[in-house]
Amino acid sequence: MQNIDLIFVLQPVIVGLFSVGLIVYWRLKRTFKWSVLLYTFIAYAVAIALKYALQLLTAPAVLETYGAQSIATGIYFGLQTVIFEVGIAYVVAWYATSRGKLDAKDAEAYGLGLAFYENGVLLGLLPLINLLSIYAILSSNTSIASMVYEQLLTAQPSLFYSPSQALSLIGWGILERVSSLLFHFSWGYLCVVAAYFHKKRFLLLALPMGFIDFLVPFASALTLPVFEALIFGLSITAVTVAILSTRKLRLTPPLQNGENC
């Protein structure tokens, strides 16, 4: 019975390291209050819980009605991220800034906090634990190992790719996580700016960024390099929009020193 290659742990390890590394860097070189992690955890956890509950109740019906690859299905997934992830990130940012718990200087850290829970925890730490558990089970050579092996051959045959094949998937997977980090940073940053300065136009810029999940149903319709390059290009666009749209604010004292306006 073939076991998975431990080379696959490279992706969650690398993703986890750069997620944590950015927080450490911002803590040492920029501004990162530890309370930001609490607020971003609340925003992210509530959003993911609501998305999971909604999909549990409605996804089978949506997929049966509209199919796995359709505009309607894309809108279904995209709107969830817009409403839950970006929308709740703004609500939490508004609550924290209105009570003086966060200020303008925390905008960048808030975006990084959201990115940390998405990439460092949900798609970093948890997959790492899962891969190591699979490796340990398949190494046991028991009846449970045989059952897991058969299930994986059907559901995740790529786990048994050779190292040369796996490296390509790992590379594109890491790029996808970088794109995710940039998107979460962008809309988290804009949510705090919108809440702190009471300027809804920044929220209106952030909300469409969540619609990136509209593309999820169409991933298999494109080659992996093309799809990941597209997502990365859009993530660069999101960061550019976030930075350029707040350029004037970043040059004024409120965004520099956190004084309320």
Side-chain angles (χ1 to χ4, degrees):
M1 181 172 55
Q2 181 184 357
N3 205 335
I4 65 172
D5 196 309
L6 282 179
I7 194 173
F8 282 101
V9 305
L10 281 178
Q11 180 176 327
V13 167
I14 292 173
V15 169
L17 286 176
F18 72 62
S19 298
V20 174
L22 281 171
I23 290 178
V24 172
Y25 173 83
W26 241 259
R27 173 71 177 178
L28 296 176
K29 301 294 185 180
R30 304 290 291 270
T31 300
F32 200 112
K33 297 186 298 192
W34 293 122
S35 59
V36 171
L37 287 178
L38 171 63
Y39 290 112
T40 51
F41 172 76
I42 294 171
Y44 184 76
V46 171
I48 295 303
L50 289 175
K51 287 177 71 174
Y52 178 79
L54 179 64
Q55 290 179 19
L56 190 65
L57 295 172
T58 63
V62 170
L63 294 176
E64 182 179 354
T65 302
Y66 300 105
Q69 290 184 354
S70 69
I71 292 177
T73 302
I75 293 173
Y76 169 76
F77 286 111
L79 283 180
Q80 287 179 55
T81 303
V82 170
I83 296 170
F84 294 138
E85 291 202 48
V86 184
I88 292 175
Y90 172 74
V91 171
V92 173
W94 171 82
Y95 174 86
T97 56
S98 66
R99 284 158 178 74
K101 303 300 183 180
L102 296 178
D103 57 40
K105 293 189 299 181
D106 299 311
E108 295 169 333
Y110 192 82
L112 289 177
L114 294 175
F116 166 73
Y117 287 114
E118 168 84 2
N119 300 288
V121 179
L122 184 65
L123 298 173
L125 179 61
L126 296 184
L128 176 61
I129 293 173
N130 182 56
L131 286 170
L132 293 176
S133 299
I134 290 172
Y135 184 84
I137 291 172
L138 296 183
S139 298
S140 65
N141 198 27
T142 61
S143 58
I144 295 178
S146 299
M147 181 178 64
V148 170
Y149 176 73
E150 294 298 330
Q151 291 176 344
L152 289 174
L153 277 179
T154 302
Q156 294 178 276
S158 59
L159 286 177
F160 300 98
Y161 282 0
S162 66
S164 59
Q165 292 175 300
L167 280 174
S168 176
L169 290 178
I170 291 168
W172 291 117
I174 291 172
L175 179 62
E176 182 176 290
R177 293 302 96 216
V178 171
S179 300
S180 172
L181 184 152
L182 295 177
F183 270 112
H184 283 80
F185 171 83
S186 300
W187 72 56
Y189 171 81
L190 287 171
C191 283
V192 172
V193 172
Y196 183 83
F197 290 103
H198 308 290
K199 296 184 183 294
K200 295 297 191 297
R201 69 174 183 270
F202 296 113
L203 175 61
L204 294 179
L205 289 174
L207 286 170
M209 294 178 183
F211 212 63
I212 185 63
D213 281 347
F214 169 84
L215 297 175
V216 170
F218 306 101
S220 60
L222 301 171
T223 63
L224 184 59
V226 170
F227 181 77
E228 297 301 345
L230 173 61
I231 298 298
F232 181 68
L234 291 173
S235 71
I236 294 296
T237 302
V239 173
T240 302
V241 168
I243 292 174
L244 292 182
S245 66
T246 59
R247 180 172 54 185
K248 291 183 179 179
L249 289 177
R250 287 185 292 109
L251 295 176
T252 61
L255 196 56
Q256 291 179 340
N257 59 27
E259 294 174 1
N260 210 337
C261 59

